[in-house]
Amino acid sequence: QVQVVESGGGLVQAGGSLRLSCAASGSPIITKSGWYRQAPGKQRELVATITTAGTIVYSESVKSRFTISRDNAKNTVYLQMNSLKPEDTAVYYCNIRTIPFRDYWGQGTQVTVSS
């Protein structure tokens, strides 16, 4: 059974930084990992994804401020968030896509950026 656990959220002032981590247990064969976020009253949106081969996609709103990375040996994916803005406030969810094809989601971690 695959479990996905996020950590690293919190409260930070605008311009600050946070680093999110997402660990997948259960020895999954991961093809792609990613971070999504959902602000109150809005739909969940993509933040960044990274494949096992290293292909990375960022949303335009976070490009140049956020960096996604992964440690394949540890089945862990990270999201370094710099120059945070109040509009980055949301619950951040980690997504793991595996073989056989299935998407797993973490429980979410709250990121709050104060102005």
Side-chain angles (χ1 to χ4, degrees):
Q1 180 71 17
V2 176
Q3 288 189 323
V4 178
V5 179
E6 304 111 334
S7 61
L11 173 64
V12 65
Q13 288 188 332
S17 299
L18 283 174
R19 189 191 194 211
L20 305 183
S21 299
C22 169
S25 62
S27 300
I29 301 173
I30 298 172
T31 58
K32 185 165 71 173
S33 305
W35 291 94
Y36 294 73
R37 67 187 181 186
Q38 188 167 17
K42 295 187 177 180
Q43 290 189 330
R44 190 172 298 187
E45 64 175 3
L46 179 146
V47 176
T49 61
I50 182 169
T51 69
T52 306
T55 301
I56 293 174
V57 173
Y58 292 105
S59 73
E60 286 298 320
S61 63
V62 307
K63 198 175 292 186
S64 79
R65 299 188 297 121
F66 292 9
T67 303
I68 190 170
S69 61
R70 84 274 187 255
D71 184 332
N72 290 338
K74 295 182 179 179
N75 282 337
T76 300
V77 61
Y78 306 96
L79 185 69
Q80 178 65 43
M81 305 184 293
N82 298 328
S83 302
L84 282 160
K85 304 175 181 180
E87 51 263 44
D88 293 318
T89 295
V91 178
Y92 284 69
Y93 296 91
C94 177
N95 170 266
I96 301 293
R97 179 163 291 177
T98 66
I99 295 174
F101 179 83
R102 183 169 174 180
D103 278 324
Y104 293 90
W105 292 90
Q107 79 286 354
T109 185
Q110 177 71 46
V111 171
T112 303
V113 184
S114 63
S115 57

